[in-house]
Amino acid sequence: MLRPTFIRVSLATLLLASTVPAIAQDDGLYDAPVDPNSAFVRVLVPGTAVAVVNGTTVDEVTDGLSAYVNVAPGDIQVSAGDLAGSVTASPGSYYTYATTASGEPLLLTDQPASDPSKATVYFYNLSDKPTVDLFVPSAKVKALEGVAGDTAKSVALKAPLTLDFEVQADGETVAKVAALELKRRGGVSIVFTGSDGSYSASAVQNAFFRGQ
């Protein structure tokens, strides 16, 4: 595994604004062609290995996060493990159907990226921590700040680059992700979970379900 390159990078160089336009014409977020009339739905349930989205069985599941499934807009049925529910999908939108720290269903809308020359990091706080920050120790900056529980934020970063990330709560590191490879035209999801003092973070490269 590649180790991170510890170089001092300015905040302006490393980070772009964390709020990116939700445009259907994105052609680089997950390296898949985008039909403006389609929607994309995935499931995030830690501990599961298979998800079902709109009748499609998805076994491309890593650390509980499935690949996105291309669906027609409308009411989309989803399930994974003991979780089952529906998503009302709009054209050109991306959704992650997840669970809270207490196991309740949670629907999150993912913002598509606008710059294919960058990598977009999606961070999900599914822990019982009321708010956390995503910190880049090599640059000594917060990539994302104040991510509330049961919410997600995203940020576009310079790529290609390999970085360590820390999840911090009140300035204290509670979880780490080491040597995360950021790729141009790519998206990666960092999922922070846990409760009652036991926490962990995992990172998964975003993917599309291609079928058989």
Side-chain angles (χ1 to χ4, degrees), residues 63-207:
D63 291 333
L65 183 63
S66 79
Y68 281 96
V69 177
N70 186 328
V71 299
D75 291 332
I76 307 301
Q77 299 300 310
V78 299
S79 63
D82 295 331
L83 176 73
S86 64
V87 176
T88 301
S90 298
S93 297
Y94 296 78
Y95 301 94
T96 297
Y97 196 84
T99 56
T100 66
S102 60
E104 296 299 317
L106 176 66
L107 178 62
L108 298 165
T109 301
D110 300 326
Q111 296 294 323
S114 59
D115 188 344
S117 69
K118 302 292 191 296
T120 304
V121 177
Y122 297 83
F123 179 70
Y124 300 83
N125 180 7
L126 303 183
S127 75
D128 66 354
K129 289 288 186 183
T131 182
V132 295
D133 305 321
L134 185 64
F135 184 74
V136 182
S138 62
K140 298 183 178 179
V141 295
K142 294 176 181 178
L144 292 167
E145 187 171 2
V147 183
D150 299 336
T151 70
K153 287 186 178 181
S154 62
V155 61
L157 301 180
K158 181 180 178 180
L161 197 63
T162 301
L163 293 173
D164 287 348
F165 290 88
E166 295 178 355
V167 181
Q168 296 184 345
D170 298 322
E172 177 185 356
T173 299
V174 291
K176 297 181 180 180
V177 172
L180 181 57
E181 186 178 3
L182 305 180
K183 304 175 183 178
R184 291 191 181 99
R185 296 179 57 85
V188 61
S189 295
I190 298 176
V191 181
F192 176 60
T193 58
S195 61
D196 300 325
S198 179
Y199 302 99
S200 63
S202 60
V204 181
Q205 296 290 335
N206 292 348

Side-chain angles (χ1 to χ4, degrees), residues 42-56:
R42 66 179 177 178
V43 178
L44 171 54
V45 182
T48 62
V50 177
V52 179
V53 177
N54 201 36
T56 299

